[in-house]
Structure formats: structure tokens, C-alpha cells
Amino acid sequence: MGGEDQLKALVRQGFALQNTADKSVLTVDGVLAQTMGNVKRLVESLPQEGLLRNKAWRDLEPLVKEELDKYGRQLGKTLVNSNSQAAPDMRDYAVREFDNGGADLPEAVRVRNQPVPGSVEMALRSQVNNMTLDKMFNVSGKAKGEAPILKALFKTVDTRVRGGIIRGDTTKAIADLMATDVITSGIPGVKLTAPVAKQIQSQAMTIARTATQDMARQVKEQLYEQNKAATEGMVWQWSTALDSRTCETCAPLDARRWPQDGQTSPPTWPIHPNCRCQSLLIDPEDPFWNGDEVTAQQIRPAEKGAY
């Protein structure tokens, strides 16, 4: 046990969290395909040319939003359900992290696959860019007006349609940006290979991955609050995901430490969308964490200088 095991577990958890997030998005790909197919048909109804195209597109806005809203609602519900169901696995990773760091956890806490109290509420509170999933998707149905996700989805479509109109593209060319028609076993359908469909799916992946990381943070913080006495002498250390995608926000934080005195604390992760980094509870005397071989400084090209 020790720092090396903690780092290995962190890497495994990173893949597990991404897998949970991606599965959530792929689960509703059928809804997205149907949505984008319907949006494509609406766009195809635009005049072929002339000044009336902009007005015709404005008239279509409510119908387009109605279609996009179906996908947004289903995506939000799926993300909340998926993250709440994954909470016991997230807790197991946190227990392993504390154990490998030397925490004196009671045996009852170490029992695997335990339910996490309040997991659904945690999932609803999971944030992306400082906005909870509940607010972004209006999962609880408490908010009035358009959900922020609907506004974002429509903006993605609207930007491409208006851009095509300004360039004088044909209606067919603009519609083809929405989704790709296919016929499988004689049944018409669409693929998500067109630019707008791919962009929306990518946006959904970013939201899902970020929210899943935030859910894992909440689960770990709950375990910590319940077992502070067992972590005496340990400190928080930032662990940056060390690969070619490491960003210049998280990299300078790598290996920085914070005591458990409540005076200062590590940043709330995820720091940004698609962030894969987090703070670990470690033994400050562990030789593994006190060497120079595990640092973000090693992966930055020398010609770019220090972070």
C-alpha cells in the first residue's frame, strides 16, 4: 500500500468515471438520432433562397426547440440516474484511496458496494461550469421557462442554420448539417455523423464527464466528513492527470499540498469542463510522493519553459 497504489487507483478511477459518463450519453443516442432527424426535416422545409429564409427559420424555432427539448430532458434524467447508481463504486474508490494513504478506517466502512446516502440529491447537485444538473436540465421540474440546456442546444443548431443562410447555402446543404440519412435493413433512419449532431453529442459528453467527476468528489467528501478522525496526520495533495492532454490550469497545481486544518483547502474539482484531476488524501511521509519522478513538470516541452 502507499502512494503508488493511490496513483494507480486514481488512473483506474479516471477510466471508470469516463466510462460511466460516456455510457450515459450513448444510452440516449437513439433519442438524439430521432431528434436530429426531425430537426433536419424541419430545416428542409425552409425556402430555397431569398429574404424570406430568415423569417421562415424564426417561425420554425418553437418546433425545433420542441424536438431538442425531448433529447435534453432524457439526457438530464439519464445522467442523474447513472451517477446516483455509480455512487457505491465511487465510494469504494474513495475508501481505497484513504486506506492506501494510511487512514485507520473502521472495518464496517471498508465493506464494499455500500449504498451512499443522498446519492440522488448529490447527482442533482453535480455541477458543470458552476451550474447544477438539476438547474441545467430542470430535472426536478421546479424551474419555469426554458432549461439552460435547451437554449444551448438550440444555439448550436441556430448558429449553423443562420451561417448557411448568410453564405447562401442551399436548403439541402444546411439540412445535411443536422444529421445523415441512412437506410438500414430497409428502414429509414439517421446517423450522428453530420456536423451538428456530432457537436451536440460532444457537448453532451463534456457535460456528462464533468458532472460525473463532480459526483465522485461529493461522494469522497462525504466519506471524509464521516471519517475525519481516521485520517489524522494525512494531507490533501493535488494530483494532475499526467498525459498529453494535461492543461495549464491543473498542471501547476500538481503535487501542491494542503493540511487538514481548515485554514486553506485544495481547489474544488473538477476545476473546468472535462477536468480529470483531483486532490488525494495522502501520507506526507510517503517517499513515493516526495520524489521528483511524478510531477507535471516532466511532461511540458522544455522549450515552453516552466508552468
Side-chain angles (χ1 to χ4, degrees), residues 18 22 24 30 161 188 200 214 220 223 228 257 266 278 283:
Q18 182 170 313
D22 291 357
S24 300
V161 172
I200 288 177
D214 193 75
K220 183 160 77 170
L223 181 71
K228 278 187 178 181
R257 296 177 179 178
Q278 61 175 275
D283 174 5

Side-chain angles (χ1 to χ4, degrees), residues 138-241:
N138 192 18
V139 180
S140 63
K142 296 178 181 178
K144 296 181 180 180
E146 293 181 356
I149 187 63
L150 177 56
K151 295 179 181 179
L153 293 173
F154 180 75
K155 182 178 180 180
T156 299
V157 174
D158 184 56
T159 299
R160 293 300 187 113
V161 172
R162 290 188 182 277
I165 291 174
I166 291 172
R167 290 191 302 271
D169 295 343
T170 65
T171 295
K172 181 182 184 307
I174 298 173
D176 285 345
L177 295 174
M178 304 298 121
T180 303
D181 288 322
V182 294
I183 297 180
T184 304
S185 301
I187 301 175
V190 298
K191 293 194 300 184
L192 302 176
T193 53
V196 175
K198 288 175 64 177
Q199 185 176 352
I200 288 177
Q201 186 187 56
S202 177
Q203 290 168 339
M205 287 286 189
T206 296
I207 292 171
R209 292 176 179 181
T210 308
T212 302
Q213 278 277 36
D214 193 75
M215 178 74 181
R217 175 190 59 79
Q218 293 182 75
V219 171
K220 183 160 77 170
E221 287 181 352
Q222 182 189 80
L223 181 71
Y224 169 69
E225 291 296 331
Q226 294 171 345
N227 296 276
K228 278 187 178 181
T231 64
E232 186 177 353
M234 301 174 72
V235 299
W236 292 105
Q237 175 167 301
W238 189 263
S239 183
T240 299

Side-chain angles (χ1 to χ4, degrees), residues 124-136 148 207 210-211 214 217 267-273:
L124 288 168
R125 289 198 305 266
S126 297
Q127 295 192 17
V128 180
N129 272 347
N130 298 317
M131 183 180 294
T132 66
L133 284 186
D134 191 16
K135 182 176 181 180
M136 182 179 293
I207 292 171
T210 308
D214 193 75
R217 175 190 59 79
T268 299
W269 51 276
I271 291 181
H272 54 78

